[in-house]
Amino acid sequence: MASFAEQTGRLPALLNTSFNHKAEPIVCTPRDLVATFAASPLDMLAIGPFLVSEASRN
C-alpha cells in the first residue's frame, strides 16, 4: 500500500472488487472473508458496519 501512495501521490488505499488470495477462489461468505484476510498481508478489512484491523489477528 505504501508503494501505491508513493507511486501515485494519493492516499494509500486500494479496493479489490474480486477478493481472494493467491490460488484461492473468490470469497463467498463472511467466514471465507475472515479466513482470507487472516492469510493476507492486508492492514484492514471492512465488512458491513465492521472494520477489522491487522492488530486484531493476534
Side-chain angles (χ1 to χ4, degrees):
M1 296 274 203
S3 66
F4 173 78
E6 291 169 9
Q7 291 176 25
T8 63
R10 299 188 183 266
L11 292 175
L14 296 174
L15 174 62
N16 185 345
T17 58
S18 58
F19 187 56
N20 65 324
H21 186 63
K22 296 187 180 176
E24 296 292 321
I26 294 173
V27 299
C28 293
T29 67
R31 183 174 296 216
D32 291 344
L33 182 67
V34 172
T36 300
F37 174 67
S40 77
L42 295 174
D43 298 324
M44 301 192 103
L45 168 70
I47 179 170
F50 302 101
L51 183 61
V52 182
S53 71
E54 179 180 18
S56 63
R57 292 182 200 185
N58 301 327

